[in-house]
Amino acid sequence: KQEVTQIPAALSVPEGENLVLNCSFTDSAIYNLQWFRQDPGKGLTSLLLIQSSQREQTSGRLNASLDKSSGRSTLYIAASQPGDSATYLCALIPNAGKSTFGDGTTLTVKP
Amino acid sequence: DAGVTQSPTHLIKTRGQQVTLRCSPKSGHDTVSWYQQALGQGPQFIFQYYEEEERQRGNFPDRFSGHQFPNYSSELNVNALLLGDSALYLCASSLGQGDSPLHFGNGTRLTVT
């Protein structure tokens, strides 16, 4: 059974700091990994998708890496801003069906 | 380019009642997945529909059922509501049977009293 773990559950940093969010999983198989952002009471906004054959993806101040051998992904946020405050979730996206999500890391960026 | 839309946004039901939630996928997408998200937890996969058939199902009882229409829109039905069914229900759309990225709607907040 696929399990996805995100540690820490919560993180508070001052504005401008660079930070790393972690996602670990038990079964790498042939999966894509997708990072999302969720604001309180809202749906999920896709940030980055790393396909199973890739090792990283970048978008603006965000960089996500995937290491299937160790069962880990990291989301790097550069120069954090108060607007980055949200819950960040990672998900393993299999071929045909049952995606598995972590419980997320709630990030607070203090001005 | 219309994204994923869900209706209603909020719903209050009484224990034992039945509810229907609706989802329209992102333009060009043909696959719809439904998730249940309890407070403070990640989304839990309920089921996925492709070509009007349920393709995959998570660990949810038969009280949870769904349907996909020829225009790819989908419904989630929950019968005999329990207090524990209170959650945010999320719909995600994607393309084809492969591993394309998921695009989510804003969800339906269901409260069962």
Side-chain angles (χ1 to χ4, degrees):
Chain A
K1 176 187 174 184
Q2 177 71 268
E3 292 184 3
V4 179
T5 303
Q6 293 186 249
I7 295 173
L11 181 64
S12 180
V13 301
E15 182 177 3
E17 191 162 295
N18 302 326
L19 59 101
V20 174
L21 306 180
N22 297 296
C23 171
S24 60
F25 45 92
T26 54
D27 178 13
S28 62
I30 303 176
Y31 292 96
N32 290 350
L33 188 140
Q34 194 168 358
W35 281 93
F36 296 89
R37 167 191 174 132
Q38 186 174 32
D39 293 294
K42 300 293 187 181
L44 278 64
T45 300
S46 179
L47 297 174
L48 291 165
L49 171 74
I50 309 175
Q51 295 186 328
S52 58
S53 58
Q54 298 174 324
R55 292 186 63 85
E56 67 176 328
Q57 281 288 332
T58 298
S59 177
R61 296 183 293 108
L62 305 179
N63 175 274
S65 66
L66 175 62
D67 184 345
K68 294 173 67 177
S69 62
S70 66
R72 290 186 177 184
S73 176
T74 60
L75 177 67
Y76 175 83
I77 302 176
S80 58
Q81 303 170 358
D84 295 331
S85 298
T87 297
Y88 291 80
L89 297 125
C90 65
L92 272 294
I93 313 291
N95 191 351
K98 189 178 177 180
S99 302
T100 304
F101 283 77
D103 286 336
T105 294
T106 298
L107 173 66
T108 302
V109 181
K110 297 180 178 180
Chain B
D1 180 16
V4 179
T5 58
Q6 292 187 243
S7 63
T9 55
H10 295 85
L11 204 51
I12 300 174
K13 289 286 189 178
T14 302
R15 194 170 39 183
Q17 286 187 317
Q18 180 264 346
V19 67
T20 297
L21 311 181
R22 295 176 176 83
C23 173
S24 292
K26 178 181 169 67
S27 178
H29 285 183
D30 56 7
T31 303
V32 173
S33 304
W34 286 93
Y35 294 81
Q36 180 193 67
Q37 186 178 27
L39 204 60
Q41 297 183 15
Q44 298 294 313
F45 177 83
I46 302 175
F47 40 54
Q48 182 180 78
Y49 279 85
Y50 174 73
E51 291 188 341
E52 301 181 52
E53 292 190 358
E54 183 181 291
R55 185 166 65 183
Q56 285 274 341
R57 188 179 183 92
N59 295 324
F60 280 81
D62 291 345
R63 298 187 297 108
F64 290 76
S65 63
H67 189 76
Q68 186 179 35
F69 300 93
N71 67 352
Y72 307 121
S73 66
S74 177
E75 288 182 350
L76 164 65
N77 301 292
V78 187
N79 295 322
L81 284 167
L82 303 174
L83 296 179
D85 294 331
S86 296
L88 181 66
Y89 288 85
L90 294 163
C91 169
S93 72
S94 55
L95 182 61
Q97 296 190 70
D99 47 10
S100 70
L102 299 174
H103 294 258
F104 280 84
N106 279 329
T108 294
R109 171 69 63 185
L110 173 64
T111 302
V112 182
T113 61

